[in-house]
């Protein structure tokens, strides 16, 4: 009996020690609120990247610290989420700088940055859990959120790697993991309940975050192979967070048999999705068939509303035999289509048929933004990490555009870190990790850049340098 009592006491002590050890691995996220004006905070611009405008503020990632950067809550400077106010022209007022989330924000996916939704900011960060040797498991990822005033920090989900791609959908988060599974997390549940929605996804697309409210913002489209393993068609599914998956397009049965280009139906590849007005969402996709001439090959679009009913007669075909890697809408009848070596202007001619004109030529062109001002369409794009802008179209005043190409203007030619985040344009400024200054965050006011004047392409420091970076720069200057 004495031995049993002794072992019982030992077990209790060991359990207590283990619990303390586990508690020691968790962080204390408590911090005082930063004075915040929540008026207009739902006016969000350029969500999901390095910098996001929400209300009168700009929230941004303060430099690239990498996977193994300091990540102790409250002590982090580099990689933290900081905030500044914007002046009337949308330029940062750096004297208003505040730290909101003192954690190292990090990911490996260029399309995943910081997201503002409601009164929270969402982000990913390396795990602080430790392995058996006491080393942080930085190859694992935590998905977290913090109120916009710096309070209420919570861990939403923990992942074994950085492959999950997520979308904040109001009261839910939808994500796709490396097992090709679609999951949804209920943000209103006490423990952030995670539910499997569907599996065996082949591909998927989340629309870019809308700057204005749209009823379909919680939508994800994905494709699945046909149930018959010998079939040459596939299916497109739509899911709205909180609901159930709906088969939106069946590459075989959604089309009248007499209209099929080939009896085997169509194989559909998702390109992107876009919000239409306040109630709709447009799916853009390429479609082809298994016939020898692939008569159906091209780019298509369909506007869905709640319920995702599909009528093949309302499907829009943009191209014949030509496919693209991306689409930028000027409006419903005027499109810039992106390929690996060009940007083309797609429009309807007098007969109502879609035709194309090349407006930008060059390999590895990456479109950063398309802006329309006073009837002039301007494309901001990068080539070999240099940023340019070029006016390509001019409105005829009747809803159509004429091709009017001016010479490209260099905006910024200095190198920047693209290991994770790319250049991010928010209103009239671009934001980036400056590889010439220890990967800290800088901005360039595009309104001050003068054509053919490299001296006007001078970027400004946005955030705060860490002590380590200050010391490293001082040492570098001394060596010189």
């Amino acid at each position: 009996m004495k031995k049993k009592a002794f072992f019982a006491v030992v077990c209790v002590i060991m359990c207590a020690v283990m619990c303390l050890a586990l508690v020691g691995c968790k962080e204390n996220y408590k911090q005082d609120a930063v004075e915040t004006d929540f008026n207009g905070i739902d006016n969000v611009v350029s969500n999901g990247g390095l910098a996001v405008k929400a209300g009168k503020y700009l929230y941004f990632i303060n430099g690239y610290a990498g996977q193994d950067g300091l990540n102790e809550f409250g002590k982090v400077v580099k990689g933290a989420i900081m905030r500044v106010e914007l002046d009337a022209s949308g330029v940062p007022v750096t004297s208003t700088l505040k730290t909101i989330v003192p954690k190292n924000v990090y990911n490996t996916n260029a399309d995943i940055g910081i997201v503002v939704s409601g009164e929270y900011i969402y982000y990913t960060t390396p795990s602080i859990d430790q392995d058996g040797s006491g080393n942080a498991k930085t190859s694992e990822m935590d998905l977290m959120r913090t109120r916009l005033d710096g309070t209420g920090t919570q861990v939403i989900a923990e992942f074994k790697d950085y492959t999950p791609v997520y979308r904040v959908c109001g009261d839910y988060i939808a994500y796709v993991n490396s097992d090709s599974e679609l999951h949804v997390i209920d943000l209103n549940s006490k423990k952030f309940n995670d539910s499997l929605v569907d599996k065996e996804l082949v591909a998927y697309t989340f629309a870019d975050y809308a700057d204005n409210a749209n009823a379909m913002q919680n939508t994800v489209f994905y494709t699945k192979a046909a149930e018959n393993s010998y079939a040459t068609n596939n299916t497109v599914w739509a899911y709205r967070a909180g609901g159930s998956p709906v088969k939106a397009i069946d590459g075989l049965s959604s089309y009248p048999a007499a209209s099929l280009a080939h009896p085997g139906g169509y194989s559909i590849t998702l390109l992107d999705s876009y919000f239409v007005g306040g109630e709709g969402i447009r799916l853009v996709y390429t479609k082809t068939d298994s016939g020898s001439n692939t008569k159906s090959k091209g780019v298509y679009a369909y506007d869905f509303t709640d319920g995702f009913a599909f009528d093949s007669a309302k499907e829009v075909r943009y191209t014949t035999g030509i496919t693209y890697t991306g689409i930028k809408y000027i409006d419903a009848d005027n499109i810039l289509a992106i390929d690996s070596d060009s940007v083309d202007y797609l429009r309807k001619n007098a007969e109502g048929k879609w035709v194309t004109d090349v407006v930008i030529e060059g390999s590895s062109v990456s479109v950063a933004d398309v802006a329309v001002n006073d009837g002039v369409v301007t494309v901001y794009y990068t080539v070999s990490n240099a940023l340019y802008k070029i006016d390509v179209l001019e409105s005829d005043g009747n809803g159509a555009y004429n091709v009017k190409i001016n010479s490209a203007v260099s905006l910024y030619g200095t190198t920047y870190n693209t290991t994770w985040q790319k250049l991010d344009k928010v209103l009239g400024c671009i934001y980036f990790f400056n590889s010439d200054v220890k990967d800290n965050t800088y901005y360039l006011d595009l309104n001050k850049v003068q054509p053919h004047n490299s001296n006007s392409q001078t970027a400004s420091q946005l955030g705060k340098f860490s002590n380590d970076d200050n010391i490293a720069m001082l040492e570098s200057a001394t060596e010189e």
Side-chain angles (χ1 to χ4, degrees), residues 210-223:
D211 291 344
N212 300 304
N214 182 286
M216 307 291 278
Q217 286 194 75
N218 58 351
T219 302
V220 53
F221 288 101
Y222 58 95
T223 56

Side-chain angles (χ1 to χ4, degrees), residues 371-377 393-395 401:
V372 182
N373 293 302
D374 298 325
V376 176
V377 177
L393 304 174
E394 186 175 66
S395 173
Y401 290 85

Side-chain angles (χ1 to χ4, degrees), residues 27-31 73 103 128 142 144 150 152-155:
E27 292 178 293
N28 179 5
Y29 300 126
K30 196 170 184 180
Q31 64 176 352
F73 189 88
K103 284 282 289 179
I128 62 163
D142 290 345
M144 301 181 65
T153 296
Q154 298 170 294
V155 176

Side-chain angles (χ1 to χ4, degrees), residues 324-345:
Y324 292 95
T325 57
I327 294 288
K328 296 282 186 181
Y329 282 94
I330 302 168
D331 55 44
D333 296 323
N334 297 277
I335 302 168
L336 291 178
I338 304 158
D339 206 349
S340 59
D341 57 1
S342 69
V343 177
D344 296 351
Y345 171 40

Side-chain angles (χ1 to χ4, degrees), residues 372-388:
V372 182
N373 293 302
D374 298 325
V376 176
V377 177
T378 303
V379 178
Y380 294 83
Y381 66 97
T382 59
V383 176
S384 300
N385 282 358
L387 178 68
Y388 300 87

Side-chain angles (χ1 to χ4, degrees), residues 100-135:
I100 303 300
V101 184
K103 284 282 289 179
N104 177 23
V105 178
Y106 171 81
N107 206 288
T108 59
N109 188 319
D111 295 322
I112 298 178
I114 54 176
V115 176
V116 173
S117 179
E119 295 187 353
Y120 284 93
I121 188 163
Y122 295 80
Y123 52 94
T124 57
T125 181
S127 173
I128 62 163
D129 288 344
Q130 298 178 352
D131 59 22
S133 301
N135 300 312

Side-chain angles (χ1 to χ4, degrees), residues 399-427:
Y401 290 85
N402 297 315
V403 176
K404 189 174 182 180
I405 303 173
N406 295 328
S407 298
V409 176
S410 173
L411 298 176
Y412 188 73
T414 306
T415 56
Y416 54 94
N417 187 324
T418 57
T419 305
W420 170 28
Q421 287 288 300
K422 51 195 173 184
L423 286 177
D424 198 357
K425 182 174 178 289
V426 185
L427 301 178

